[in-house]
Amino acid sequence: MQLWKGRFQKELSKTTNDFNSSISFDSRMYKEDIEGSIAHSAMLGKCGIISEEDAAAIGEGLKGILADIESGKLVIDPEAEDIHTFIEGELTARLGDTGKRLHTARSRNDQVAVDIKLYLKKQIDEIRKLVKELLEVICKKAEEHAGTVMPGYTHLQRAQPITFGHHLMAYAEMLLRDLDRLSDCKDRMDVMPLGSGALACTTYPIDRSITAQLLDFESVTHNSLDGVSDRDYCIELAAALSIIMVHLSRFSEEIIMWCSWEFKFVELDDAFSTGSSIMPQKKNPDIAELVRGKSGRVFGDLTALLTVMKGIALAYNKDMQEDKEAIFDAVDTVKMCLTAFTPMLDTMKVIPQNMRKAAAGGFINATDCADYLVKKGLPFRDAYKATGELVAKCIEMGLTLETLPIEEYKNVCDIFDEGVYEAIGLEKCAYGRSPVGGPNPDNVRKEIERVINIIS
Ligand code: ARG
């Protein structure tokens, strides 16, 4: 039954009702809807807009509805128009005329906006907790591998030696920014729209600060049109979630590569891999692939929200009902991905000897060889050129810089002496990169400590 029936002579057709209804996806906000209504009725009572007795009865009635939904005694009607209508209808069924007073000085437009904000603020806290759990696992693994040498890449070509701990901590930096983005988003969301009414506030003498305080909002919105038609907070959260997915997707991509026989830097635990129905030898990184794939959903949700909002005249329009499925899907997907990803990383076995082997090929100490000459007084450009010639020589002879005889070095540049072999040792090259932000193991440990301090 629609609450707005007064001027209508006919019932909605079944298809129109189904098309118009949002109960299948907004029922998840039942708790926030009830919290918002309890605060609203208390404020109406305090301001003398309804009697204190009615306010108290409404508050108790709503608490009863909440308890009954949670115990399963009251089932949310899938035929209802939306969660707001359902709860108000149930309250009226229980309290009669008193229940009908709840919607005084309120519209579903400010009601839905406050519900979404209450719901998303809680979700942001949950997501931040999941991101922190992932950060803890990253720090733990990075600590174990602070000194593990691996090749660093550019263009997916072996570039310079780094430590695996350093590589992992790059993701910690990304996730720290994600944490900040989530709290920024929550702060900007923390402004209460209730009291904006349908679009133009109300003539009742409401006190919005009472409701804001009861609902734990930092402040109230300052324009009623914007209060009901703003969905920046959904877009902003979807953007922050999309960036998290970019990070998880890149991390997944690397894990997928590292699992392959071409790399074999890591092995995923059996609990986080799947087999093939035909190829008995296969162990596939499906979880990482799914996380990478699900990034597309979240980017799609962001695009959907931007597109829904871009052409809507002020203030509320029904288009905006489309906000919920998109932002809820983004929230659910990110939570699911983080929940799957963290234990996968935690149980991932690292194979340092394969990383070391890969680091020993591909001339990743060529920059260090050039730097050796620079430290002996040669201008960098000349040192670069001489080292390039040495690499060409190694390729021709099937050798590495470590195994190339000293005579060959001297043929290219007579400044070389035996000291070059020490200078291009992989550990020395990786550990020697010690300015702040570098792969040196002590640096990595310092960064881990910094991150742990931030998240605890
Ligand atoms: N279910 C609606 C939504 O999610 C609630 C607001 C309805 N307001 C209205 N004027 N029809 O947007």
Side-chain angles (χ1 to χ4, degrees):
M1 216 263 277
Q2 281 76 34
L3 289 178
W4 37 260
K5 263 187 76 130
R7 67 162 288 180
F8 291 81
Q9 259 112 52
K10 279 195 213 160
E11 288 287 333
L12 272 188
S13 75
K14 165 95 177 99
T15 36
T16 312
N17 187 52
D18 289 349
F19 185 65
N20 192 49
S21 167
S22 54
I23 193 92
S24 62
F25 48 86
D26 66 17
S27 59
R28 68 161 78 192
M29 301 191 302
Y30 70 86
K31 200 162 175 209
E32 291 73 24
D33 193 72
I34 291 173
E35 283 169 12
S37 290
I38 291 175
H40 179 67
S41 61
M43 182 277 291
L44 291 178
K46 280 209 176 96
C47 295
I49 299 167
I50 61 173
S51 70
E52 290 276 12
E53 298 77 60
D54 277 343
I58 290 172
E60 285 313 306
L62 287 166
K63 282 184 203 151
I65 293 175
L66 178 61
D68 290 350
I69 293 176
E70 302 214 303
S71 70
K73 210 164 120 193
L74 175 63
V75 177
I76 296 173
D77 176 10
E79 297 301 312
E81 186 180 341
D82 54 31
I83 190 64
H84 328 293
T85 312
F86 172 75
I87 287 171
E88 195 190 328
E90 181 63 28
L91 187 75
T92 302
R94 293 184 181 200
L95 302 185
D97 282 352
T98 300
K100 292 186 202 157
R101 297 193 201 283
L102 167 64
H103 211 53
T104 315
R106 185 177 74 171
S107 155
R108 272 185 302 165
N109 298 350
D110 55 349
Q111 187 180 355
V112 69
V114 90
D115 288 5
I116 303 172
K117 284 187 167 183
L118 286 170
Y119 180 81
L120 292 181
K121 282 203 292 172
K122 290 183 203 160
Q123 294 300 316
I124 290 176
D125 290 343
E126 283 183 32
I127 296 169
R128 289 190 86 242
K129 192 163 158 271
L130 291 171
V131 172
K132 284 184 180 185
E133 283 165 16
L134 175 54
L135 275 163
E136 276 166 23
V137 168
I138 291 174
C139 287
K140 190 182 86 183
K141 276 240 142 30
E143 174 78 51
E144 286 162 21
H145 293 284
T148 301
V149 173
M150 74 177 286
Y153 296 82
T154 62
H155 314 270
L156 204 51
Q157 303 285 320
R158 291 173 196 169
Q160 290 179 341
I162 57 168
T163 51
F164 187 52
H166 186 59
H167 193 113
L168 288 173
M169 289 307 285
Y171 287 101
E173 291 301 303
M174 301 176 216
L175 293 166
L176 281 182
R177 291 194 294 273
D178 289 327
L179 282 180
D180 277 352
R181 262 185 287 273
L182 289 170
S183 22
D184 284 354
C185 175
K186 188 178 166 195
D187 288 348
R188 253 186 302 280
M189 198 184 284
D190 208 6
V191 186
M192 191 199 66
L194 203 58
S196 301
L199 74 160
C201 241
T202 177
T203 53
Y204 293 100
I206 57 170
D207 183 343
R208 299 181 65 203
S209 68
I210 297 178
T211 354
Q213 208 186 352
L214 289 171
L215 292 173
D216 201 22
F217 274 100
E218 188 62 35
S219 58
V220 300
T221 54
H222 282 272
N223 181 292
S224 59
L225 296 169
D226 181 55
V228 288
S229 70
D230 166 34
R231 291 295 181 274
D232 288 5
Y233 50 92
C234 293
I235 296 173
E236 194 176 349
L237 179 57
L241 296 176
S242 293
I243 300 174
I244 294 180
M245 288 308 292
V246 169
H247 299 151
L248 292 184
S249 183
R250 291 182 79 179
F251 207 164
S252 296
E253 167 69 9
E254 296 211 292
I255 290 173
I256 293 160
M257 284 191 311
W258 293 339
C259 285
S260 71
W261 281 107
E262 281 67 20
F263 281 81
K264 261 294 163 251
F265 285 181
V266 300
E267 186 160 348
L268 290 178
D269 193 80
D270 284 0
F272 297 92
S273 320
T274 54
S276 153
S277 60
I278 173 172
M279 297 167 283
Q281 84 284 12
K282 289 295 284 287
K283 185 170 173 188
N284 296 328
D286 288 34
I287 305 305
E289 288 170 16
L290 263 178
V291 170
R292 186 178 59 183
K294 280 182 190 291
S295 59
R297 292 179 74 101
V298 181
F299 307 161
D301 293 327
L302 171 61
T303 308
L305 285 164
L306 290 166
T307 314
V308 164
M309 292 308 295
K310 80 175 183 66
I312 312 185
L314 296 181
Y316 178 86
N317 294 257
K318 189 74 170 212
D319 318 39
M320 290 163 66
Q321 181 166 284
E322 289 291 308
D323 59 357
K324 280 170 282 300
E325 280 167 295
I327 192 61
F328 293 164
D329 181 68
V331 162
D332 293 348
T333 306
V334 168
K335 281 166 79 178
M336 208 159 46
C337 289
L338 285 165
T339 307
F341 192 93
T342 301
M344 176 185 75
L345 183 70
D346 196 17
T347 54
M348 182 180 86
K349 201 178 107 208
V350 179
I351 312 173
Q353 57 281 21
N354 288 352
M355 293 184 175
R356 181 76 179 62
K357 219 186 294 162
F363 306 103
I364 66 174
N365 44 7
T367 315
D368 301 88
C369 180
D371 289 343
Y372 163 88
L373 291 175
V374 171
K375 283 170 197 160
K376 283 181 165 288
L378 214 64
F380 179 76
R381 255 323 133 217
D382 295 338
Y384 172 97
K385 187 164 168 285
T387 308
E389 284 170 31
L390 288 167
V391 168
K393 192 79 203 162
C394 286
I395 293 170
E396 186 193 314
M397 297 174 73
L399 295 172
T400 63
L401 287 171
E402 289 91 327
T403 54
L404 188 72
I406 191 68
E407 300 75 55
E408 297 294 343
Y409 276 99
K410 286 185 180 295
N411 281 345
V412 169
C413 176
D414 56 13
I415 305 179
F416 277 112
D417 61 35
E418 293 283 341
V420 68
Y421 296 109
E422 203 211 317
I424 61 168
L426 281 180
E427 275 72 21
K428 186 165 172 76
C429 301
Y431 298 176
R433 302 181 134 76
S434 55
V436 176
N440 167 282
D442 290 333
N443 276 4
V444 172
R445 288 186 200 102
K446 262 185 234 148
E447 297 307 334
I448 293 170
E449 212 183 296
R450 196 187 108 250
V451 174
I452 296 285
N453 275 335
I454 293 174
I455 62 174
S456 44

